[in-house]
Amino acid sequence: MNSTLPYSETIKVRFRDTDSQGHLYFANYLVYADEITGFYMASLGFNSANPDEVPCYIFTVNLNCDYLDECKALDEVRVCTGYTRLGNSSAEVAFELYREHDGVLLSRGSFTQVFVDKATRKSCPIPETFRTSVKASQPEMA
């Protein structure tokens, strides 16, 4: 595993997350990436799991994913994530999923996030406290 992304956690693939061919259902790669991205954001002080406690919403407006290898039920998957761009009101998040036991890259991709005012549901600037936390965690973003 050769990821340069700053945050990662391991997920064990549940049987219910697989498809009839016995491997991880394609959409669940994105679910795993989104879940670990949420944990990374929470570690930076933006816990979107508690929408009443955050200054704005975040909408995912674009995503892409390249599927490179497969994983199966009970495999452990290392999900790595980090920011690659911070705009005024949008950001790009990269992700990579690796099979834990042999380090094989399973998939990689990105999400485009737009920060949205809760009342107007229109884009708003990325909160400065969050921007500062991302830059502290990822000095290359400064």
Side-chain angles (χ1 to χ4, degrees):
M1 185 169 53
N2 295 321
S3 183
T4 60
L5 298 172
Y7 188 86
S8 71
E9 291 201 21
T10 301
I11 295 177
K12 184 174 275 196
V13 177
R14 297 173 299 199
F15 179 76
R16 74 179 200 165
D17 291 345
T18 62
D19 62 18
S20 62
Q21 299 171 85
H23 59 220
L24 185 64
Y25 179 65
F26 78 94
N28 287 325
Y29 288 82
L30 302 172
V31 171
Y32 290 3
D34 183 57
E35 182 176 315
I36 302 308
T37 297
F39 294 159
Y40 179 45
M41 293 178 69
S43 79
L44 298 173
F46 195 103
N47 188 354
S48 59
N50 293 314
D52 293 337
E53 298 175 10
V54 293
C56 60
Y57 295 135
I58 297 177
F59 294 169
T60 298
V61 298
N62 188 41
L63 60 89
N64 73 68
C65 185
D66 295 321
Y67 300 94
L68 306 169
D69 211 320
E70 68 178 347
C71 60
K72 298 177 179 166
L74 305 180
D75 279 349
E76 291 188 350
V77 176
R78 171 73 51 183
V79 182
C80 306
T81 189
Y83 283 89
T84 58
R85 184 186 65 80
L86 293 174
N88 179 49
S89 61
S90 66
E92 297 288 328
V93 179
F95 62 85
E96 299 167 346
L97 281 71
Y98 294 86
R99 197 168 38 238
E100 185 76 4
H101 79 271
D102 61 7
V104 169
L105 180 61
L106 302 170
S107 68
R108 65 176 166 236
S110 65
F111 297 117
T112 303
Q113 300 174 325
V114 173
F115 291 72
V116 176
D117 181 271
K118 289 180 178 182
T120 66
R121 298 181 84 79
K122 301 288 183 194
S123 65
C124 66
I126 295 171
E128 200 54 43
T129 55
F130 183 67
R131 182 184 298 276
T132 299
S133 294
V134 170
K135 290 179 179 180
S137 176
Q138 297 183 243
E140 71 277 11
M141 297 300 298

